[in-house]
Amino acid sequence: MIIGENIKQAALIIREGGLVAFPTETVYGLGANALNPMAVAKIFEAKQRPSFDPLIVHIHHFDEIYALFSSPISHWVQKLAEAFWPGPLTIVHKKSTSVPHIVTSGLETVAVRMPSHPTAIALLKASECAIAAPSANRFGQISPTEASHVTKQLQDIDYVLLGEKVTLGIESTVVSVADEGCFILRPGVITAEDLEKVVPLCSHNPNETIGSLSSPGLLHSHYAPTKPMYLLDNTMDILPPHSGIIVHTNKKNWNTAQAIFITSQNGDKKEIASNLFAAFHTMEDNKAIQQIFIEPVEENGIGIAIMDRIKKAVFKYK
Ligand code: AMP
Ligand code: MG
């Protein structure tokens, strides 16, 4: 594994069918040439990701959608792209025949996103191909927001690209789009209120095929530290021994905690999202801690996406 900043070298590895971890504005991704099924297979192997969980294809130019989506392309795709690309929105639409089945886990739809992160864009340009990339973590574990989070979990990567900081900190909003409108498959920093200004929201997935797992982002347990994590009950004042606590303001003095991670001094949701996975990683790495408590946030705006990640992280320990 090479760890470095050489975009040309990383792009060459992508073109030759290798794996490159790279930063985006949401989280670190683990990328391979999206149209090379052998290369994409290595992503599933490295992450130990089950084959039913499809990948997001990353592009740097809007016209690339014509090779990935099948015609007729819903006019909402252009509207969404104008409003939110480059940025943290993934659009799921009926796929073209050139997208390999391994990328979409056999679904007839493909997920596509244009990131805004300068390092990701530079890699996409230099690679001259679309890059399939899920988050660069072991399946079910915590998403990475720094290169060290990637190397902690994954070994079989050819290149870990260093670059500008990951700013948003949680995965993209995923929407399924057809002529009827769009349906949110996974909440993210782009909220329902943001989307509603551009496209009608559907009450069901317009691309759903009966019997398929329409969005594996809907799995109950995900993004979880390897230690037990519990939702903090607001009547709790004293923590059990060897506890770590993640809070979103500095209002209360947690002197029974072994370690405290404050994601935001004043409950700012963007700041909480940006620091959430770093908090999970810090607690996971701290050997003095046996269990983690995390404060919930109000479920509105970006709070919906933050609570989605928190609920999946605590699911096994409810
Ligand atoms: P990750 O980048 O690791 O967060 O994983 C990508 C996520 O995108 C998947 O877990 C799904 O939730 C979603 N996704 C990718 N492709 C599709 C698709 N064709 N249909 C629905 N959801 C998808
Ligand atoms: Mg992921």
Side-chain angles (χ1 to χ4, degrees), residues 74-77 92-94 176-182 199 202 206-207:
S74 161
H75 65 289
W76 296 120
V77 170
V92 171
H93 186 276
K94 290 246 157 59
S176 182
V177 177
D179 287 341
E180 300 97 294
C182 87
V199 41
C202 301
N207 288 308

Side-chain angles (χ1 to χ4, degrees), residues 224-260:
T226 50
K227 296 174 184 171
M229 183 149 110
Y230 305 97
L231 215 47
L232 186 74
D233 169 346
N234 61 11
T235 61
M236 232 170 153
D237 284 318
I238 298 168
L239 299 175
H242 311 293
S243 294
I245 185 165
I246 301 171
V247 288
H248 314 300
T249 61
N250 70 351
K251 281 196 201 130
K252 199 161 165 177
N253 188 359
W254 289 99
N255 48 20
T256 54
Q258 181 77 34
I260 305 175

